[in-house]
Structures are given as C-alpha cells and as structure tokens.
Coordinates of all heavy atoms in Angstrom, one line a residue:
M1 N 3.6 -1.0 14.6 CA 2.8 0.0 13.8 C 3.6 1.3 13.9 O 4.0 1.8 14.9 CB 1.5 0.2 14.4 CG 0.6 1.1 13.6 SD -1.2 1.0 13.9 CE -1.6 -0.6 13.3
R2 N 3.7 1.9 12.7 CA 4.4 3.2 12.6 C 3.6 4.4 13.3 O 2.4 4.6 13.0 CB 4.7 3.5 11.2 CG 5.6 4.7 11.0 CD 6.1 4.7 9.6 NE 5.1 4.7 8.6 CZ 5.2 4.9 7.3 NH1 6.4 5.2 6.8 NH2 4.2 4.8 6.5
R3 N 4.2 5.1 14.2 CA 3.6 6.3 14.8 C 4.5 7.4 14.7 O 5.8 7.2 14.6 CB 3.2 6.0 16.3 CG 2.4 4.8 16.5 CD 1.0 5.3 16.9 NE 0.2 4.1 17.4 CZ -0.9 3.8 16.9 NH1 -1.5 4.5 15.9 NH2 -1.6 2.7 17.3
A4 N 4.1 8.7 14.9 CA 4.9 9.8 14.9 C 4.6 10.6 16.2 O 3.5 10.7 16.6 CB 4.6 10.7 13.7
P5 N 5.7 11.1 16.8 CA 5.5 11.9 18.0 C 4.7 13.2 17.7 O 4.9 13.8 16.7 CB 6.9 12.2 18.5 CG 7.8 12.0 17.3 CD 7.1 11.0 16.4
R6 N 3.9 13.5 18.6 CA 3.1 14.8 18.6 C 2.1 14.8 17.4 O 1.7 15.9 17.0 CB 4.0 16.0 18.5 CG 4.8 16.2 19.8 CD 5.6 17.5 19.8 NE 6.5 17.6 18.6 CZ 7.8 17.3 18.6 NH1 8.3 16.9 19.7 NH2 8.4 17.4 17.5
C7 N 1.8 13.7 16.8 CA 0.8 13.6 15.7 C -0.6 13.4 16.4 O -0.8 12.3 17.0 CB 1.1 12.5 14.8 SG -0.2 12.3 13.5
V8 N -1.5 14.3 16.2 CA -2.8 14.1 16.8 C -3.5 12.9 16.4 O -4.2 12.2 17.1 CB -3.7 15.4 16.6 CG1 -4.0 15.6 15.2 CG2 -4.9 15.4 17.5
F9 N -3.4 12.5 15.1 CA -4.1 11.3 14.6 C -3.5 10.0 15.2 O -4.2 9.1 15.5 CB -4.1 11.3 13.1 CG -4.9 12.4 12.4 CD1 -4.4 13.1 11.4 CD2 -6.2 12.7 12.9 CE1 -5.2 14.1 10.8 CE2 -6.9 13.6 12.4 CZ -6.5 14.4 11.3
C10 N -2.2 10.0 15.4 CA -1.6 8.9 16.1 C -2.0 8.8 17.5 O -2.3 7.7 18.0 CB 0.0 9.0 16.0 SG 0.7 8.6 14.4
E11 N -2.2 9.9 18.2 CA -2.7 10.0 19.5 C -4.1 9.5 19.6 O -4.5 8.7 20.5 CB -2.6 11.4 20.1 CG -1.2 11.8 20.4 CD -0.5 10.9 21.4 OE1 -1.0 10.8 22.5 OE2 0.6 10.3 21.1
I12 N -5.0 9.8 18.6 CA -6.3 9.4 18.6 C -6.3 7.8 18.3 O -7.0 7.1 19.0 CB -7.1 10.1 17.5 CG1 -7.4 11.5 17.9 CG2 -8.4 9.4 17.1 CD1 -7.9 12.5 16.8
A13 N -5.5 7.4 17.3 CA -5.5 6.0 17.0 C -5.0 5.1 18.2 O -5.5 4.0 18.3 CB -4.6 5.7 15.8
A14 N -4.2 5.7 19.0 CA -3.7 5.0 20.2 C -4.7 5.1 21.4 O -4.4 4.5 22.5 CB -2.3 5.5 20.6
G15 N -5.7 5.9 21.2 CA -6.7 6.1 22.3 C -6.2 7.0 23.4 O -6.8 7.1 24.5
R16 N -5.2 7.8 23.1 CA -4.7 8.8 24.1 C -5.2 10.2 23.9 O -5.0 11.1 24.7 CB -3.1 8.9 24.0 CG -2.5 7.6 24.5 CD -1.0 7.7 24.6 NE -0.3 7.9 23.4 CZ 0.2 7.0 22.6 NH1 0.2 5.7 23.1 NH2 0.8 7.3 21.5
A17 N -6.0 10.4 22.8 CA -6.6 11.7 22.6 C -8.1 11.4 22.2 O -8.4 10.4 21.6 CB -5.9 12.5 21.4
P18 N -9.0 12.3 22.7 CA -10.4 12.2 22.4 C -10.8 12.4 20.9 O -10.1 13.2 20.2 CB -11.0 13.2 23.3 CG -10.1 14.3 23.4 CD -8.7 13.6 23.4
A19 N -11.8 11.7 20.5 CA -12.3 11.9 19.1 C -13.7 11.3 19.1 O -14.1 10.3 19.9 CB -11.4 11.1 18.1
A20 N -14.6 11.9 18.3 CA -15.9 11.4 18.1 C -15.9 10.4 16.9 O -16.0 10.8 15.8 CB -16.8 12.5 17.8
L21 N -15.6 9.1 17.2 CA -15.5 8.1 16.2 C -16.8 7.7 15.7 O -17.8 7.5 16.4 CB -14.8 6.9 16.7 CG -13.3 7.1 17.2 CD1 -12.8 5.7 17.8 CD2 -12.4 7.6 16.2
V22 N -16.9 7.6 14.4 CA -18.2 7.1 13.8 C -18.0 5.6 13.2 O -18.9 5.0 12.9 CB -18.7 8.0 12.7 CG1 -19.1 9.3 13.2 CG2 -17.7 8.2 11.6
F23 N -16.7 5.2 13.1 CA -16.4 3.9 12.6 C -14.9 3.6 12.8 O -14.1 4.5 12.8 CB -16.7 3.7 11.1 CG -16.3 2.4 10.6 CD1 -17.1 1.3 10.7 CD2 -15.1 2.2 9.9 CE1 -16.8 0.1 10.3 CE2 -14.7 0.9 9.4 CZ -15.6 -0.1 9.6
E24 N -14.6 2.4 13.2 CA -13.2 2.0 13.3 C -13.1 0.5 12.9 O -14.0 -0.3 13.1 CB -12.6 2.2 14.6 CG -13.3 1.5 15.7 CD -12.6 1.8 17.1 OE1 -11.3 1.8 17.2 OE2 -13.4 2.1 18.0
D25 N -11.9 0.2 12.3 CA -11.6 -1.3 12.1 C -10.1 -1.4 12.3 O -9.5 -0.5 13.0 CB -12.0 -1.7 10.7 CG -11.3 -1.0 9.6 OD1 -10.3 -0.3 9.8 OD2 -11.8 -1.1 8.4
A26 N -9.5 -2.6 11.9 CA -8.1 -2.8 12.3 C -7.2 -1.8 11.7 O -6.1 -1.6 12.2 CB -7.8 -4.2 11.8
S27 N -7.5 -1.2 10.5 CA -6.5 -0.4 9.9 C -6.9 1.1 9.7 O -6.1 2.0 9.4 CB -6.2 -0.9 8.5 OG -7.3 -0.9 7.7
T28 N -8.2 1.4 10.0 CA -8.7 2.8 9.8 C -9.6 3.3 10.9 O -10.1 2.5 11.6 CB -9.5 2.9 8.4 OG1 -10.7 2.1 8.5 CG2 -8.6 2.5 7.2
L29 N -9.8 4.6 10.9 CA -10.7 5.3 11.8 C -11.5 6.3 11.0 O -11.0 6.9 10.1 CB -10.0 6.0 12.9 CG -9.1 5.2 13.9 CD1 -8.2 6.2 14.6 CD2 -10.0 4.4 14.8
A30 N -12.8 6.4 11.3 CA -13.6 7.5 10.7 C -14.1 8.4 11.9 O -14.6 7.8 12.9 CB -14.8 7.0 9.9
L31 N -13.8 9.7 11.9 CA -14.1 10.5 13.0 C -14.7 11.9 12.5 O -14.4 12.3 11.5 CB -12.9 10.7 13.9 CG -11.6 11.3 13.2 CD1 -11.1 12.5 13.9 CD2 -10.6 10.2 13.1
M32 N -15.4 12.5 13.4 CA -15.9 13.8 13.1 C -14.8 14.9 13.2 O -14.0 14.8 14.1 CB -17.0 14.2 14.1 CG -18.2 13.2 14.2 SD -19.0 13.0 12.6 CE -19.7 14.6 12.3
D33 N -14.8 15.7 12.2 CA -13.7 16.8 12.2 C -14.0 17.8 13.3 O -15.2 18.2 13.5 CB -13.7 17.5 10.8 CG -12.5 18.3 10.6 OD1 -12.1 19.1 11.5 OD2 -11.9 18.1 9.5
I34 N -13.0 18.2 14.0 CA -13.2 19.2 15.1 C -13.4 20.6 14.5 O -13.9 21.5 15.3 CB -12.0 19.3 16.1 CG1 -10.7 19.6 15.5 CG2 -11.9 18.0 16.9 CD1 -9.6 19.9 16.5
A35 N -13.1 20.8 13.3 CA -13.3 22.1 12.6 C -14.1 21.8 11.3 O -13.4 21.9 10.2 CB -12.0 22.9 12.3
P36 N -15.3 21.4 11.4 CA -16.0 20.9 10.2 C -16.2 21.9 9.1 O -16.5 23.1 9.4 CB -17.3 20.4 10.7 CG -17.5 21.2 12.0 CD -16.2 21.4 12.6
A37 N -16.0 21.5 7.9 CA -16.2 22.4 6.7 C -17.7 22.4 6.3 O -18.1 23.3 5.6 CB -15.3 22.0 5.5
A38 N -18.4 21.4 6.8 CA -19.8 21.2 6.5 C -20.4 20.4 7.6 O -19.6 19.6 8.3 CB -20.0 20.7 5.2
R39 N -21.7 20.4 7.8 CA -22.4 19.6 8.8 C -22.1 18.1 8.4 O -22.3 17.7 7.2 CB -23.9 19.8 8.7 CG -24.6 19.2 9.8 CD -26.0 19.7 9.9 NE -26.6 19.1 11.1 CZ -27.9 18.6 11.0 NH1 -28.6 18.7 10.0 NH2 -28.4 18.0 12.0
G40 N -21.7 17.3 9.4 CA -21.5 15.9 9.2 C -20.1 15.6 8.5 O -19.9 14.5 8.0
H41 N -19.2 16.5 8.7 CA -17.8 16.4 8.1 C -17.1 15.2 8.8 O -16.8 15.4 10.0 CB -17.1 17.7 8.3 CG -15.8 17.8 7.6 ND1 -15.0 19.0 7.5 CD2 -15.0 16.8 7.1 CE1 -13.9 18.7 6.9 NE2 -13.8 17.5 6.6
V42 N -16.7 14.2 8.1 CA -16.1 13.0 8.7 C -14.7 12.9 8.0 O -14.6 13.0 6.8 CB -16.9 11.7 8.4 CG1 -16.2 10.5 8.9 CG2 -18.3 11.9 9.1
L43 N -13.7 12.6 8.8 CA -12.3 12.3 8.3 C -12.1 10.8 8.4 O -12.5 10.2 9.4 CB -11.3 13.0 9.2 CG -11.4 14.5 9.3 CD1 -10.3 14.9 10.3 CD2 -11.2 15.1 8.0
V44 N -11.5 10.3 7.3 CA -11.1 8.9 7.4 C -9.6 8.8 7.4 O -9.0 9.4 6.5 CB -11.7 8.1 6.1 CG1 -11.1 6.7 6.2 CG2 -13.2 8.1 6.1
I45 N -9.0 8.2 8.3 CA -7.5 8.2 8.5 C -7.1 6.7 8.7 O -7.8 5.9 9.0 CB -7.1 9.1 9.6 CG1 -7.6 8.5 11.0 CG2 -7.5 10.5 9.4 CD1 -7.0 9.2 12.2
T46 N -5.8 6.5 8.5 CA -5.2 5.3 8.8 C -4.8 5.2 10.3 O -4.5 6.2 10.9 CB -4.0 5.0 7.9 OG1 -3.0 6.1 8.2 CG2 -4.3 4.9 6.5
R47 N -4.8 4.0 10.8 CA -4.2 3.8 12.2 C -2.7 4.0 12.2 O -2.2 4.5 13.2 CB -4.5 2.5 12.8 CG -6.0 2.3 13.2 CD -6.2 1.0 13.9 NE -7.6 0.8 14.2 CZ -8.2 1.3 15.4 NH1 -7.4 2.0 16.2 NH2 -9.4 1.1 15.6
E48 N -2.1 3.6 11.2 CA -0.7 3.8 11.0 C -0.3 5.1 10.4 O -1.1 5.6 9.6 CB -0.1 2.7 10.1 CG 1.4 2.7 10.0 CD 2.0 1.4 9.4 OE1 1.2 0.6 8.9 OE2 3.2 1.3 9.2
H49 N 0.8 5.7 10.9 CA 1.1 7.0 10.5 C 1.8 7.0 9.1 O 2.7 6.2 8.8 CB 2.1 7.7 11.4 CG 2.5 9.1 11.1 ND1 1.8 10.1 11.5 CD2 3.5 9.5 10.3 CE1 2.3 11.2 11.0 NE2 3.4 10.9 10.3
F50 N 1.3 7.9 8.2 CA 1.9 8.1 6.9 C 1.9 9.6 6.7 O 0.9 10.3 7.0 CB 1.0 7.5 5.7 CG 1.0 6.0 5.7 CD1 -0.1 5.3 6.4 CD2 2.0 5.2 5.2 CE1 -0.1 4.0 6.4 CE2 2.0 3.8 5.2 CZ 0.9 3.2 5.8
E51 N 3.0 10.1 6.2 CA 3.1 11.6 6.0 C 2.2 12.1 4.9 O 1.7 13.2 5.0 CB 4.6 12.0 5.8 CG 5.5 11.8 7.0 CD 5.2 12.8 8.1 OE1 4.9 14.0 7.7 OE2 5.3 12.5 9.2
T52 N 2.2 11.4 3.8 CA 1.5 11.8 2.6 C 0.8 10.6 1.9 O 1.1 9.4 2.2 CB 2.4 12.5 1.6 OG1 3.3 11.5 1.1 CG2 3.2 13.6 2.2
L53 N -0.1 10.9 1.0 CA -0.8 9.9 0.2 C 0.3 9.0 -0.5 O 0.1 7.9 -0.8 CB -1.8 10.5 -0.7 CG -3.1 11.0 -0.1 CD1 -3.9 11.7 -1.1 CD2 -3.9 9.8 0.4
Y54 N 1.3 9.7 -1.0 CA 2.3 9.0 -1.8 C 3.0 7.9 -1.1 O 3.5 7.0 -1.7 CB 3.4 10.0 -2.3 CG 2.8 11.3 -2.8 CD1 3.0 12.5 -2.2 CD2 2.0 11.3 -3.9 CE1 2.5 13.7 -2.7 CE2 1.4 12.4 -4.4 CZ 1.7 13.7 -3.8 OH 1.1 14.8 -4.2
E55 N 3.1 7.9 0.3 CA 3.7 6.9 1.0 C 2.8 5.8 1.5 O 3.2 4.8 2.1 CB 4.3 7.5 2.3 CG 5.4 8.6 1.9 CD 5.8 9.4 3.1 OE1 5.3 9.3 4.1 OE2 6.7 10.3 2.8
L56 N 1.5 6.0 1.3 CA 0.5 5.0 1.7 C 0.7 3.7 1.0 O 0.9 3.6 -0.2 CB -0.9 5.5 1.3 CG -2.1 5.3 2.2 CD1 -1.9 5.8 3.6 CD2 -3.3 5.9 1.6
S57 N 0.7 2.6 1.8 CA 0.9 1.3 1.2 C -0.4 0.9 0.5 O -1.5 1.5 0.7 CB 1.1 0.2 2.3 OG 0.0 0.1 3.2
A58 N -0.3 -0.1 -0.4 CA -1.5 -0.5 -1.1 C -2.6 -1.0 -0.2 O -3.8 -0.7 -0.3 CB -1.2 -1.6 -2.1
E59 N -2.2 -1.7 0.9 CA -3.2 -2.3 1.9 C -3.8 -1.1 2.7 O -5.0 -1.2 2.9 CB -2.4 -3.2 2.8 CG -1.9 -4.5 2.2 CD -0.6 -4.3 1.4 OE1 0.1 -3.2 1.6 OE2 -0.2 -5.2 0.6
A60 N -3.0 -0.1 3.0 CA -3.6 1.0 3.8 C -4.6 1.8 2.9 O -5.6 2.2 3.3 CB -2.5 1.9 4.3
A61 N -4.2 2.0 1.6 CA -5.0 2.7 0.7 C -6.3 2.0 0.5 O -7.4 2.6 0.4 CB -4.3 2.9 -0.6
Q62 N -6.3 0.6 0.4 CA -7.5 -0.1 0.2 C -8.4 0.0 1.5 O -9.6 0.2 1.4 CB -7.1 -1.6 0.0 CG -8.4 -2.5 -0.2 CD -8.0 -3.9 -0.4 OE1 -6.9 -4.4 0.1 NE2 -8.8 -4.6 -1.1
G63 N -7.8 0.0 2.7 CA -8.6 0.1 3.9 C -9.3 1.5 3.9 O -10.4 1.6 4.3
V64 N -8.5 2.6 3.5 CA -9.1 3.9 3.6 C -10.2 4.0 2.6 O -11.3 4.6 2.9 CB -8.1 4.9 3.3 CG1 -8.6 6.3 3.0 CG2 -7.0 5.1 4.4
A65 N -10.1 3.4 1.4 CA -11.1 3.5 0.4 C -12.3 2.8 0.8 O -13.5 3.2 0.6 CB -10.6 2.9 -1.0
L66 N -12.2 1.6 1.5 CA -13.3 0.8 1.9 C -14.1 1.6 3.1 O -15.3 1.6 3.1 CB -12.9 -0.6 2.4 CG -12.4 -1.5 1.3 CD1 -11.9 -2.8 1.9 CD2 -13.6 -1.8 0.4
T67 N -13.3 2.2 4.0 CA -14.0 2.9 5.0 C -14.7 4.2 4.5 O -15.8 4.5 4.9 CB -12.9 3.3 6.1 OG1 -12.5 2.0 6.7 CG2 -13.6 4.1 7.2
A68 N -14.0 4.8 3.6 CA -14.6 6.1 2.9 C -16.0 5.7 2.2 O -17.0 6.4 2.3 CB -13.7 6.7 1.9
R69 N -15.9 4.6 1.6 CA -17.2 4.0 0.9 C -18.2 3.8 1.9 O -19.4 4.1 1.8 CB -16.9 2.8 0.1 CG -18.1 2.2 -0.6 CD -17.7 1.0 -1.4 NE -18.9 0.5 -2.1 CZ -19.7 -0.4 -1.6 NH1 -19.6 -0.9 -0.4 NH2 -20.8 -0.8 -2.3
R70 N -17.8 3.1 3.1 CA -18.8 2.8 4.1 C -19.4 4.1 4.7 O -20.6 4.2 4.9 CB -18.1 2.0 5.2 CG -19.0 1.6 6.3 CD -18.2 0.9 7.4 NE -17.6 -0.3 7.0 CZ -18.0 -1.5 7.2 NH1 -19.1 -1.7 7.9 NH2 -17.3 -2.6 6.8
V71 N -18.6 5.2 4.9 CA -19.1 6.4 5.4 C -20.0 7.1 4.4 O -21.0 7.6 4.7 CB -17.9 7.3 5.8 CG1 -18.4 8.7 6.2 CG2 -17.2 6.7 7.0
A72 N -19.5 7.1 3.2 CA -20.3 7.7 2.1 C -21.7 7.1 2.0 O -22.7 7.7 1.8 CB -19.6 7.6 0.8
L73 N -21.8 5.7 2.1 CA -23.1 5.0 2.1 C -23.9 5.4 3.3 O -25.2 5.6 3.1 CB -22.9 3.5 2.0 CG -22.3 3.0 0.7 CD1 -21.9 1.5 0.9 CD2 -23.3 3.2 -0.4
A74 N -23.3 5.6 4.4 CA -24.1 6.0 5.6 C -24.6 7.4 5.4 O -25.7 7.7 6.0 CB -23.2 5.9 6.9
L75 N -23.9 8.3 4.7 CA -24.3 9.6 4.5 C -25.1 9.8 3.2 O -25.3 10.9 2.7 CB -23.1 10.6 4.5 CG -22.3 10.7 5.8 CD1 -21.0 11.4 5.6 CD2 -23.1 11.3 6.9
R76 N -25.5 8.7 2.6 CA -26.1 8.7 1.3 C -27.3 9.6 1.1 O -27.5 10.3 0.1 CB -26.5 7.3 0.8 CG -26.9 7.2 -0.6 CD -27.1 5.9 -1.2 NE -27.3 4.8 -0.2 CZ -27.2 3.5 -0.4 NH1 -27.0 3.1 -1.7 NH2 -27.4 2.6 0.5
S77 N -28.1 9.8 2.2 CA -29.3 10.6 2.0 C -28.9 12.1 2.1 O -29.8 12.9 1.9 CB -30.3 10.2 3.1 OG -29.7 10.5 4.4
S78 N -27.7 12.4 2.5 CA -27.3 13.9 2.5 C -26.5 14.1 1.3 O -26.1 13.2 0.6 CB -26.4 14.1 3.8 OG -25.2 13.4 3.7
P79 N -26.3 15.4 1.0 CA -25.5 15.8 -0.2 C -24.1 15.4 0.0 O -23.2 16.3 0.3 CB -25.8 17.3 -0.4 CG -26.2 17.7 0.9 CD -26.8 16.6 1.6
T80 N -23.7 14.2 -0.1 CA -22.4 13.7 0.3 C -21.3 13.8 -0.8 O -21.6 13.6 -2.0 CB -22.5 12.2 0.6 OG1 -23.4 12.0 1.6 CG2 -21.1 11.6 1.0
G81 N -20.1 14.2 -0.4 CA -19.0 14.2 -1.3 C -17.8 13.8 -0.5 O -17.8 14.0 0.7
C82 N -16.9 13.1 -1.1 CA -15.6 12.7 -0.5 C -14.5 13.2 -1.3 O -14.4 13.2 -2.5 CB -15.6 11.2 -0.4 SG -16.8 10.5 0.7
L83 N -13.5 13.8 -0.5 CA -12.3 14.3 -1.1 C -11.1 13.7 -0.5 O -11.1 13.4 0.7 CB -12.2 15.8 -0.9 CG -13.4 16.7 -1.4 CD1 -13.3 18.1 -0.8 CD2 -13.4 16.7 -2.9
S84 N -10.0 13.4 -1.2 CA -8.8 13.0 -0.6 C -7.8 14.2 -0.5 O -7.9 15.2 -1.2 CB -8.1 11.9 -1.4 OG -7.8 12.4 -2.7
S85 N -7.0 14.2 0.5 CA -6.1 15.3 0.7 C -4.8 14.9 1.4 O -4.8 13.9 2.2 CB -6.8 16.3 1.6 OG -6.0 17.3 2.1
N86 N -3.7 15.6 1.1 CA -2.5 15.5 1.9 C -2.7 16.6 2.9 O -2.2 17.7 2.7 CB -1.3 15.7 1.1 CG -0.9 14.5 0.4 OD1 -1.1 13.3 0.9 ND2 -0.3 14.6 -0.8
R87 N -3.4 16.4 4.0 CA -3.9 17.5 4.8 C -2.8 18.0 5.7 O -1.9 17.3 6.2 CB -5.0 16.9 5.7 CG -5.6 18.0 6.6 CD -6.8 17.5 7.3 NE -7.3 18.6 8.1 CZ -8.3 18.6 8.9 NH1 -8.9 17.4 9.1 NH2 -8.6 19.6 9.6
T88 N -2.9 19.3 6.1 CA -2.0 19.9 7.1 C -2.7 20.0 8.4 O -3.8 20.5 8.5 CB -1.6 21.3 6.6 OG1 -1.0 21.2 5.3 CG2 -0.6 21.9 7.6
V89 N -2.0 19.5 9.4 CA -2.7 19.4 10.7 C -1.8 20.2 11.7 O -0.7 19.9 12.0 CB -2.7 18.0 11.2 CG1 -3.3 17.9 12.6 CG2 -3.5 17.1 10.2
P90 N -2.4 21.3 12.2 CA -1.7 22.1 13.3 C -2.1 21.6 14.6 O -3.3 21.1 14.7 CB -2.1 23.5 13.0 CG -3.4 23.4 12.4 CD -3.5 22.0 11.7
P91 N -1.4 21.9 15.7 CA 0.1 22.0 15.7 C 0.7 20.7 16.0 O 0.1 19.8 16.6 CB 0.3 23.0 16.9 CG -0.8 22.6 17.9 CD -1.9 22.2 17.1
P92 N 1.9 20.3 15.7 CA 2.7 21.1 14.7 C 2.2 20.9 13.3 O 1.5 19.9 13.1 CB 4.1 20.5 14.9 CG 3.8 19.1 15.3 CD 2.5 19.1 16.1
T93 N 2.4 21.8 12.5 CA 2.0 21.7 11.1 C 2.7 20.5 10.4 O 3.9 20.4 10.4 CB 2.3 23.0 10.3 OG1 1.6 24.0 11.0 CG2 1.7 22.9 8.9
R94 N 1.8 19.6 10.0 CA 2.4 18.4 9.3 C 1.4 17.8 8.3 O 0.2 17.9 8.6 CB 2.9 17.3 10.3 CG 1.8 16.4 10.8 CD 2.4 15.3 11.6 NE 3.2 15.7 12.7 CZ 4.5 15.3 12.9 NH1 5.0 14.4 12.0 NH2 5.2 15.7 13.9
P95 N 1.8 17.3 7.2 CA 0.9 16.7 6.3 C 0.4 15.4 6.9 O 1.0 14.8 7.7 CB 1.7 16.5 5.0 CG 3.1 16.4 5.5 CD 3.2 17.3 6.7
Y96 N -0.8 15.0 6.4 CA -1.4 13.7 6.8 C -2.4 13.3 5.8 O -3.3 14.1 5.5 CB -2.0 13.8 8.2 CG -2.1 12.5 8.9 CD1 -1.1 12.2 9.9 CD2 -3.1 11.6 8.7 CE1 -1.1 11.0 10.5 CE2 -3.1 10.4 9.4 CZ -2.1 10.1 10.3 OH -2.1 8.9 11.0
P97 N -2.3 12.2 5.2 CA -3.3 11.8 4.2 C -4.6 11.5 4.8 O -4.7 10.8 5.8 CB -2.7 10.6 3.5 CG -1.8 10.0 4.6 CD -1.3 11.1 5.4
T98 N -5.7 12.1 4.3 CA -7.0 11.9 4.8 C -8.0 11.8 3.6 O -7.7 12.3 2.5 CB -7.5 13.1 5.7 OG1 -7.5 14.2 5.0 CG2 -6.6 13.2 7.0
I99 N -9.1 11.2 3.9 CA -10.3 11.3 3.1 C -11.4 12.0 3.8 O -11.6 11.6 5.0 CB -10.7 10.0 2.5 CG1 -9.7 9.5 1.5 CG2 -12.1 10.1 1.8 CD1 -10.1 8.3 0.7
M100 N -12.0 13.0 3.3 CA -13.0 13.8 4.1 C -14.3 13.5 3.4 O -14.4 13.8 2.1 CB -12.6 15.3 4.0 CG -11.3 15.6 4.7 SD -10.8 17.3 4.5 CE -10.1 17.2 2.8
C101 N -15.3 13.2 4.2 CA -16.7 13.0 3.6 C -17.6 13.9 4.3 O -17.6 14.0 5.6 CB -17.1 11.5 3.8 SG -16.1 10.3 3.0
T102 N -18.4 14.6 3.6 CA -19.4 15.5 4.2 C -20.7 15.4 3.6 O -20.8 14.8 2.4 CB -18.9 17.0 4.0 OG1 -18.8 17.3 2.7 CG2 -17.7 17.3 4.8
Ligands
ZN1 ZN1 0.2 10.0 12.8

C-alpha cells in the first residue's frame, strides 16, 4: 500500500496517529475533522496515499464514494452536504483528496 512520509492521513490509516473514526473499511476511513467547518464535519479519505483526486484509482474513487454515501445517509436528518476537495493539510502543506460531509 502506498504511503507518504509525514502524511497525517497515512499515519492515521496505519494506526500511528489518533483520530475519531466514525467508519472504516478495507480501503477508506471516515473521521471527524480536527478543525471542523461545521458541527459533525466528517472527512472521508483513502487508506492508500494519493496526492490529488486526479491520481485516484477507479477502485479507490468507488470506495470513497460509497463511504461518503454511507456517511451522508447517517447524517441525513441534519442539513448534510458533501464536498470533494484536493485538500491542503499542514504541516507539511500537501494536497490530499478528501470528501467532507457536514
Ligand atoms: Zn497519506
């Protein structure tokens, strides 16, 4: 599995950094954002490291979409919205594809 040094999401996926997980499967994780933009802000990420959405494999994209749908359904009673992003994660600043559901 592809990992990147000093990537916080790779550290979380490997179980070496703490995270408030709300869902996980073989290819994705859904976790509470440490700097939420709104109450219930959940990030959906891949277990495997990808720099941007453009590099995401079809299988990884499918996994992210299915997990985002699952999170959105769980948040259905709240004013839920999901956005995709080539997110910048400090430190170090690096892009990372995410889907954010709030
Ligand atoms: Zn990573």
